[in-house]
Amino acid sequence: AEDFDLELVENRTLDGHTQELVYRPTRHCLRQRLARVSRSAGRSAWWTASVAPLLAAAAVCEAQQDFSAVGLAVLPVQGGVYMITGAGGNTSVQIGHEGVLVVDTQFAPLAPKIMAEIGKLSSGPIRFIVNTHDHVDHVDGNAALAELIKPTVLEPLQMIAHENALARLSNPRNGEGATPPGGLPADSYFTPTKDFHYNGESVFLYHAPNAHTDGDTIVLFRESDVVSTGDLFTPGAYPFIDRARGGSVQGLIAGLNQILHLTVPAKTQERGTYVVPGHGRICDEADVVEFRDMIVIVRDRIADMIARGMTLRQIQAARPTLDYDTEYVDADSVITPAEFVAAVHSSLMESPR
């Protein structure tokens, strides 16, 4: 762990053969980045899982990142929704006559750049920030943006997330940096859904239990016909199932099915509802179907191997993801096939279905 500047957080036994050790970076690194070690049959293999599955910026210490060199790209999605990409998770922005709604805020040093890009789209006030979950690359900019927004009594700022995400941000583990009070999504919800009307359209929030984490929120802009998924959906990369924060493969599949219930394709199964993923390009329903099907197939393969008495080490050696690796693995990948297999295995050992 010393080579990676990590400290032990948790030591759990998954079954008779496998021990899972959960590590985190020390305070000098991004406070919510995770690293895991999976030990099986007396041999160890590093399992390093980042909270920013597609970007190297979230895999290094914050102090070492040169955010001044990070450029932002703003892409129109459809209706009143835009996507901003930078060094963290994707940011969705809804604009209209009432003001601006922001989904996920990336890293704090990028807040002035994000504000500048939003200012090019709308002169209205930012009235809502929605967090899809509590990972640092999606929420670190909350307080910095709030400070730049300067909300007033007449133009307040509502910061929204599921209560599980708020709980984790409010009560960080030992050694994790505390979220500034101004960055906490105090307007939390605990019901399966939350909805409100803004900028002439209905906005729906759906909780996806125990999926990527235990506090994931899916955001639907109904009239714009756009869904923002957070890290439930990361096209081109294997998903990060954050087992330490309540994530599971079963919940992830259920969350992806929920997204598919909200999307409607147009002619030839293309376009229609557009999907803003946690990381990566703008997608449509067909992309989510492909991603969901990959996870279901890999899960079923691993479940069959478990039923035949194979250990995690043996399952990883059998490479149940092999035919998908060319699509979901490249030189910049953070989640390796072995890590994805280990997360699925851990989920199934805890709850087979």
Side-chain angles (χ1 to χ4, degrees), residues 212-250:
H212 166 59
T213 68
D214 60 6
D216 294 301
T217 292
I218 302 164
V219 184
L220 169 66
F221 300 98
R222 187 163 70 179
E223 281 70 26
S224 292
D225 202 12
V226 174
V227 177
S228 294
T229 70
D231 284 354
L232 286 169
F233 175 48
T234 54
Y238 285 127
F240 171 29
I241 302 172
D242 191 343
R243 298 287 293 134
R245 281 177 163 77
S248 70
V249 68
Q250 300 91 328

Side-chain angles (χ1 to χ4, degrees), residues 54-176:
L54 300 182
L55 298 172
V60 297
C61 296
E62 188 169 6
Q64 296 174 334
Q65 295 184 59
D66 182 9
F67 286 102
S68 65
V70 174
L72 302 183
V74 181
L75 300 172
V77 184
Q78 68 180 0
V81 179
Y82 294 76
M83 180 177 80
I84 301 177
T85 64
N90 291 333
T91 295
S92 298
V93 178
Q94 181 226 36
I95 63 171
H97 66 281
E98 292 182 276
V100 179
L101 181 154
V102 176
V103 179
D104 289 341
T105 58
Q106 304 193 33
F107 291 107
L110 294 176
K113 293 185 178 183
I114 293 174
M115 282 290 291
E117 294 299 336
I118 292 174
K120 297 175 185 178
L121 301 174
S122 171
S123 60
I126 298 176
R127 299 289 298 276
F128 291 91
I129 292 176
V130 179
N131 291 138
T132 60
H133 60 290
D134 67 303
H135 281 160
V136 67
D137 60 318
H138 292 258
V139 304
D140 194 51
N142 283 5
L145 273 180
E147 186 174 345
L148 293 171
I149 292 167
K150 295 180 171 37
T152 66
V153 174
L154 295 178
E155 294 183 342
L157 171 65
Q158 290 182 254
M159 206 171 291
I160 307 172
H162 187 265
E163 66 174 1
N164 290 346
L166 173 61
R168 294 189 184 281
L169 291 171
S170 303
N171 300 285
R173 293 170 174 168
N174 293 334
E176 290 185 350

Side-chain angles (χ1 to χ4, degrees), residues 1-319:
E2 291 79 4
D3 294 338
F4 292 86
D5 197 20
L6 304 175
E7 58 187 0
L8 180 65
V9 175
E10 191 173 351
N11 183 342
R12 328 186 263 214
T13 299
L14 301 179
D15 57 32
H17 305 281
T18 306
Q19 183 183 43
E20 183 181 60
L21 307 182
V22 181
Y23 285 81
R24 62 164 171 250
T26 62
R27 67 184 62 186
H28 303 295
C29 290
L30 294 176
R31 63 180 176 268
Q32 293 183 27
R33 179 173 167 248
L34 299 177
R36 298 167 181 257
V37 179
S38 183
R39 299 189 182 274
S40 180
R43 295 179 59 185
S44 65
W46 284 102
W47 178 11
T48 305
S50 169
V51 296
L54 300 182
L55 298 172
V60 297
C61 296
E62 188 169 6
Q64 296 174 334
Q65 295 184 59
D66 182 9
F67 286 102
S68 65
V70 174
L72 302 183
V74 181
L75 300 172
V77 184
Q78 68 180 0
V81 179
Y82 294 76
M83 180 177 80
I84 301 177
T85 64
N90 291 333
T91 295
S92 298
V93 178
Q94 181 226 36
I95 63 171
H97 66 281
E98 292 182 276
V100 179
L101 181 154
V102 176
V103 179
D104 289 341
T105 58
Q106 304 193 33
F107 291 107
L110 294 176
K113 293 185 178 183
I114 293 174
M115 282 290 291
E117 294 299 336
I118 292 174
K120 297 175 185 178
L121 301 174
S122 171
S123 60
I126 298 176
R127 299 289 298 276
F128 291 91
I129 292 176
V130 179
N131 291 138
T132 60
H133 60 290
D134 67 303
H135 281 160
V136 67
D137 60 318
H138 292 258
V139 304
D140 194 51
N142 283 5
L145 273 180
E147 186 174 345
L148 293 171
I149 292 167
K150 295 180 171 37
T152 66
V153 174
L154 295 178
E155 294 183 342
L157 171 65
Q158 290 182 254
M159 206 171 291
I160 307 172
H162 187 265
E163 66 174 1
N164 290 346
L166 173 61
R168 294 189 184 281
L169 291 171
S170 303
N171 300 285
R173 293 170 174 168
N174 293 334
E176 290 185 350
T179 301
L184 292 174
D187 186 6
S188 63
Y189 71 99
F190 61 90
T191 52
T193 65
K194 179 182 176 70
D195 58 75
F196 53 95
H197 203 265
Y198 190 58
N199 284 328
E201 73 174 317
S202 303
V203 181
F204 293 86
L205 311 183
Y206 299 89
H207 177 223
N210 301 106
H212 166 59
T213 68
D214 60 6
D216 294 301
T217 292
I218 302 164
V219 184
L220 169 66
F221 300 98
R222 187 163 70 179
E223 281 70 26
S224 292
D225 202 12
V226 174
V227 177
S228 294
T229 70
D231 284 354
L232 286 169
F233 175 48
T234 54
Y238 285 127
F240 171 29
I241 302 172
D242 191 343
R243 298 287 293 134
R245 281 177 163 77
S248 70
V249 68
Q250 300 91 328
L252 183 61
I253 292 168
L256 292 167
N257 285 334
Q258 176 66 53
I259 294 169
L260 292 173
H261 285 311
L262 303 176
T263 56
V264 180
K267 188 177 180 180
T268 68
Q269 297 298 302
E270 299 292 334
R271 305 179 67 176
T273 306
Y274 278 117
V275 179
V276 178
H279 300 267
R281 58 184 172 81
I282 298 170
C283 296
D284 59 19
E285 184 190 66
D287 298 302
V288 182
V289 169
E290 180 180 352
F291 188 77
R292 187 275 315 271
D293 288 352
M294 174 273 294
I295 296 173
V296 169
I297 290 169
V298 171
R299 179 205 62 184
D300 290 349
R301 289 172 179 174
I302 294 172
D304 177 68
M305 293 177 180
I306 292 173
R308 288 188 277 131
M310 295 175 66
T311 66
L312 172 59
R313 179 180 167 189
Q314 291 170 331
I315 294 171
Q316 289 171 322
R319 303 180 67 183

